[in-house]
Amino acid sequence: MRVQADREVCIGAGMCVLTLPEVFDQDEDDGRVVLRTPEPAPALAQRAREAVALCPSRALSAAP
Ligand code: SF4
């Protein structure tokens, strides 16, 4: 799986960080998403898809 995050679209809501802190973090300055690992381990794939679905600004995407 490969995850992408568009920081221009992110509104810093933090849902992704709450859902999967192993993969997502927030910038200390502007609160926008920071991708910790763009290729999560298979065991994290389901929660990564949940994080993509929960993002209110549709800043996240995931490909198999
Ligand atoms: S859930 Fe979406 S809007 Fe919120 S911090 Fe994550 S990427 Fe940004």
Side-chain angles (χ1 to χ4, degrees), residues 10-21 24-26 31-33 54-56:
C10 174
I11 58 172
M15 292 299 294
C16 55
V17 183
L18 290 173
T19 305
L20 191 53
F24 303 102
D25 200 354
Q26 279 180 286
R32 296 187 193 191
V33 65
L54 286 170
C55 175

Side-chain angles (χ1 to χ4, degrees), residues 25-56:
D25 200 354
Q26 279 180 286
D27 188 291
E28 287 184 14
D29 292 326
D30 63 14
R32 296 187 193 191
V33 65
V34 174
L35 211 47
R36 294 166 60 102
T37 170
E39 295 188 21
L44 301 178
Q46 180 60 38
R47 281 165 60 213
R49 278 188 280 271
E50 289 175 17
V52 170
L54 286 170
C55 175

